[in-house]
Amino acid sequence: QVQLVESGGGLVQPGGSLRLSCAASGSIFGIDVMGWYRQAPGKQRELVAIITGGVSTTYADSVKDRCTISRDNAKNTVYLQMDSLKPEDTDVYYCNVRRLRVNYWGQGTQVTVSS
């Protein structure tokens, strides 16, 4: 089993920045993909960004020029730096890791972009 603990969400004004963190613990050997998804009420969970093997990254078009995903293997932690935030970025953000083809999810952290 993999346990995920997220932090860094909160309220920010439009144009502001947030950095989300997700620390993995437990059976972490074999984790190959780490990433972030988001979900609004009544909508499907959608990809924000993933990082594979600590090097290859994929971003949703909506955040591509405003977010940076990174991974610290020594700390088993994945980060999502979000800049130039917009009100439409308001969602619950979920950390995801894949280990041995099994997906694990964090509990979610609320990001609210509002003036």
Side-chain angles (χ1 to χ4, degrees):
Q1 292 287 336
V2 178
Q3 293 79 45
L4 302 173
V5 177
E6 301 152 337
S7 60
L11 173 64
V12 63
Q13 291 187 342
S17 297
L18 281 176
R19 188 194 194 204
L20 305 183
S21 300
C22 174
S25 61
S27 301
I28 59 174
F29 179 79
I31 290 177
D32 56 351
V33 181
M34 303 184 81
W36 292 92
Y37 291 71
R38 64 186 182 186
Q39 187 171 22
K43 293 188 176 181
Q44 283 192 328
R45 195 168 294 185
E46 63 178 19
L47 170 74
V48 179
I50 58 172
I51 183 165
T52 303
V55 177
S56 176
T57 57
T58 301
Y59 295 92
D61 288 342
S62 58
V63 305
K64 188 176 296 185
D65 298 323
R66 302 184 293 116
C67 291
T68 303
I69 189 169
S70 61
R71 176 176 174 177
D72 185 335
N73 289 326
K75 296 181 179 180
N76 303 308
T77 299
V78 61
Y79 304 96
L80 183 69
Q81 176 68 41
M82 301 189 292
D83 300 314
S84 303
L85 283 162
K86 305 175 182 179
E88 50 263 44
D89 293 318
T90 296
D91 271 324
V92 178
Y93 285 69
Y94 294 91
C95 177
N96 169 270
V97 304
R98 188 181 73 188
R99 176 184 179 270
L100 303 179
R101 293 180 290 179
V102 176
N103 282 294
Y104 297 87
W105 296 93
Q107 78 282 3
T109 184
Q110 177 70 46
V111 171
T112 301
V113 184
S114 175
S115 56

